[in-house]
Amino acid sequence: MAYTRNNAWDNNGTFQNTSLLWYAKGVGIMQTRALDDLNSWWFFAAIHGEYLNETNYPGWGSIPGPPQVPTTPLPSKSIQDSYWNQCQHQSWYFPPWHRGYLLALEAQIRAAVVSLGGPKNWALPYWNYLGPNNQYKMPPAFAQQTLPDGSPNPLFVEARYGPQNDGDIFIPIPPVSEQCQDNTLYTGSNPNTPRPGYGGPNTGFSHSGRLSGNLESNPHNQVHVDVGGQAPQGNVWGLMSDPGLAALDPIFYLHHANIDRMWAEWNAKGNSNPTASNWLNGPAAVGQREFIMPMPDCNAWVYTPAQVNSLSQLNYEYADLSSPAPTQPVAFDATTRRLTRLGLPPTVVAQGDRMDNENSLELVGTHDGTISLKSSGARVQLRLAPEVNQQVISSFAATSEGTLPDQVYLELENVRGAQDAYKLTVNVNGQTAGTVALFGLRRASMEDGQHGGQGLTFVLDVTEIIDNLHMNNALDVDSLDVRITPNNSISEDANISVGRISIYRQSYQ
Ligand SMILES: [Cu+2]
């Protein structure tokens, strides 16, 4: 039987949408089960990530309910080690790991729905916040305290604060966008795909890594912190703002169903997933942890990316796989836009795909020394190395030989901090370079973590800004003016710092 995942905004996103009503009842059943039950809501959240050993927030014992999150009884150490803290982030495994996670949760909810006499073909709805009309708002069923029968609504969560920290949950568009859908390369870069690529960088098992792929950066990370936000006072942030809390919030799975839908749509447009064996076979093939999920029959399901590579191998489909109407004709890709901007003929073409190899990057300029972000952010002068900057400038002249000018990136390197619920907008000489969300920052900053507390690195494609400076004869300069502005005033406890801000060139020659 093929299951169809429908839009959560059907029937205005209320409980008249029966997919949402049955989801609520299924979540309710899973929440009655104990933490050490592999089929419980709490166990599933811990598969993504957990903070059971911490005493202060975000320790699971100090979460303001509902839901009332249990911290006992713990499963055995070996069960914890094989199942918990498994989610793949800052990695090319981000899309396939989450696809398997959704399939397992969906099977659990469907079994609970059927046990209550509900539809045998129930499937997880998706929240397409980038869709038309009101869909940028959270479906109203999630904000109701009670179900239509008057009982408590399992979809209601106290720790959900929204992008303005006032409890109004919506996704600001822009900066959240579907621009990543125009990428044409899963890992690496090409003129249509900024590094590190649509699906993420080539990594091993990566519960917390360094650099998010483009789908993971925007919309995924941004939607997390927009929904979660931060409490107006006190050191509490929304469950969705932090990977170790996020899957406790039932909206999590509808957000990820949409990310999964976007990946399927990207493939349906003709883009390919990796064919390298270390992607297809997953990290277990090289002796690292396996991807493993508990299924309703209590059997473990061990899977690889190859097994979830396309929807045609699986038992579900999406009601709508089409993109909203493109704002530009399809042929009007990033390369064509760039040629138009620079007034160049279509005979100027770039070489093809590049692996995201750091050797292909050359440092153009930097601001050395750690920058601590104040409540209002930071402003720095980023010094350029004159010789390297001249190479960028001369790459514009090389178009006479038919080659595209350099692609240029701004990086915020080794960003560290204790709270994830912020977004930072970066401006270069008054032009917006982009917005990044700090989802996963706390975990990436922990010294005992996978990368020894190196923090996260964010890449912004500033090619268009450099093009504009060049066209205005304003590129031959000693320094660039870089501003970092947070979406909400940064609290001192967040202790957010940027290790280095840099500009890199990547040549097509
Ligand atoms: Cu997520």
Side-chain angles (χ1 to χ4, degrees):
M1 174 186 248
Y3 303 100
T4 302
R5 293 183 181 170
N6 288 304
N7 190 320
W9 265 96
D10 290 350
N11 293 87
N12 298 314
T14 66
F15 281 123
Q16 291 188 358
N17 177 340
T18 52
S19 298
L20 290 178
L21 184 59
W22 285 110
Y23 180 51
K25 292 181 179 179
V27 171
I29 291 218
M30 286 183 76
Q31 289 184 343
T32 63
R33 299 176 185 148
L35 174 61
D36 64 348
D37 180 338
L38 276 67
N39 293 355
S40 75
W41 185 252
W42 326 112
F43 191 94
F44 259 76
I47 291 173
H48 193 266
E50 48 81 20
Y51 296 127
L52 277 155
N53 290 326
E54 296 195 43
T55 39
N56 299 322
Y57 199 83
W60 279 20
S62 55
I63 295 169
Q68 224 59 58
V69 180
T71 54
T72 56
L74 291 174
S76 72
K77 177 87 168 61
S78 74
I79 292 277
Q80 291 183 39
D81 288 347
S82 45
Y83 285 94
W84 285 10
N85 296 307
Q86 209 186 126
C87 71
Q88 298 295 292
H89 286 282
Q90 290 86 42
S91 166
W92 64 350
Y93 298 129
F94 165 76
W97 183 87
H98 283 86
R99 178 167 283 171
Y101 185 48
L102 291 186
L103 279 165
L105 184 279
E106 183 176 52
Q108 294 287 351
I109 298 280
R110 184 180 299 128
V113 166
V114 170
S115 76
L116 293 170
K120 293 187 176 61
N121 63 349
W122 180 89
L124 188 64
Y126 60 88
W127 175 23
N128 179 15
Y129 24 76
L130 290 156
N133 306 319
N134 276 344
Q135 294 183 62
Y136 70 97
K137 296 182 179 177
M138 183 174 69
F142 285 80
Q144 306 290 314
Q145 304 234 14
T146 54
L147 294 178
D149 67 5
S151 61
N153 174 13
L155 305 185
F156 180 78
V157 160
E158 174 66 27
R160 205 192 264 149
Y161 303 103
Q164 297 164 344
N165 298 342
D166 59 2
D168 183 14
I169 314 297
F170 67 95
I171 304 304
I173 297 166
V176 177
S177 86
E178 58 193 347
Q179 223 182 326
C180 65
Q181 295 300 89
D182 293 338
N183 291 182
T184 54
L185 188 61
Y186 190 100
T187 295
S189 62
N190 67 23
N192 292 313
T193 314
R195 51 186 301 270
Y198 180 80
N202 180 339
T203 68
F205 186 94
S206 176
H207 182 50
S208 166
R210 181 173 164 268
L211 191 59
S212 291
N214 299 333
L215 172 68
E216 188 180 352
S217 282
N218 186 0
H220 170 264
N221 291 346
Q222 296 213 26
V223 169
H224 267 283
V225 309
D226 283 329
V227 172
Q230 191 129 17
Q233 64 276 329
N235 237 350
V236 169
W237 50 94
L239 302 182
M240 277 284 279
S241 298
D242 187 316
L245 301 169
L248 290 166
D249 186 336
I251 197 73
F252 173 98
Y253 295 97
L254 277 70
H255 169 31
H256 269 277
N258 194 52
I259 295 295
D260 187 69
R261 191 185 66 85
M262 289 178 72
W263 181 30
E265 174 194 291
W266 188 77
N267 285 145
K269 293 201 305 192
N271 298 299
S272 306
N273 296 334
T275 53
S277 63
N278 60 325
W279 186 81
L280 290 169
N281 301 326
V286 292
Q288 299 177 332
R289 285 182 66 179
E290 59 191 11
F291 298 165
I292 179 170
M293 295 295 158
M295 299 307 276
D297 53 14
C298 281
N299 285 330
W301 174 45
V302 175
Y303 65 100
T304 63
Q307 289 169 296
V308 295
N309 206 351
S310 83
L311 295 198
S312 61
Q313 302 162 274
L314 302 167
N315 64 352
Y316 69 97
E317 58 195 13
Y318 287 99
D320 184 5
L321 255 200
S322 65
S323 304
T327 47
Q328 304 281 4
V330 177
F332 209 71
D333 61 7
T335 306
T336 313
R337 280 199 298 274
R338 189 161 191 215
L339 293 173
T340 307
R341 178 162 78 229
L342 296 171
L344 294 172
T347 48
V348 176
V349 287
Q351 255 87 67
D353 303 340
R354 294 169 300 199
M355 290 306 291
D356 188 25
N357 182 345
E358 314 248 318
N359 294 333
S360 70
L361 300 172
E362 187 175 14
L363 189 66
V364 183
T366 185
H367 177 287
D368 266 321
T370 301
I371 300 154
S372 293
L373 297 192
K374 302 193 171 63
S375 60
S376 62
R379 181 177 188 179
V380 300
Q381 296 299 313
L382 196 146
R383 286 184 317 280
L384 301 179
E387 333 72 68
V388 189
N389 193 33
Q390 282 307 321
Q391 287 183 265
V392 177
I393 292 168
S394 48
S395 80
F396 285 97
T399 55
S400 57
E401 290 143 41
T403 309
L404 269 188
D406 290 350
Q407 204 152 353
V408 184
Y409 300 97
L410 181 145
E411 295 199 6
L412 306 179
E413 298 179 70
N414 303 108
V415 182
R416 296 181 178 87
Q419 294 174 11
D420 294 11
Y422 292 100
K423 303 210 293 189
L424 306 176
T425 296
V426 180
N427 278 266
V428 178
N429 284 19
Q431 301 181 60
T432 304
T435 298
V436 299
L438 305 188
F439 184 67
L441 187 73
R442 179 177 189 273
R443 198 176 278 272
S445 306
M446 289 176 176
E447 276 171 21
D448 57 353
Q450 198 175 11
H451 295 274
Q454 288 188 56
L456 295 173
T457 286
F458 299 95
V459 175
L460 294 167
D461 185 355
V462 293
T463 305
E464 183 169 350
I465 293 178
I466 298 297
D467 284 353
N468 291 339
L469 290 173
H470 168 75
M471 296 302 278
N472 295 325
N473 293 316
L475 190 52
D476 195 0
V477 289
D478 303 329
S479 65
L480 295 172
D481 177 36
V482 177
R483 282 183 205 226
I484 300 175
T485 312
N487 59 335
N488 291 303
S489 170
I490 297 177
S491 83
E492 248 172 67
D493 303 316
N495 200 15
I496 295 169
S497 64
V498 182
R500 186 168 97 154
I501 305 178
S502 326
I503 300 266
Y504 291 94
R505 69 184 279 260
Q506 204 173 24
S507 156
Y508 285 105
Q509 307 191 48

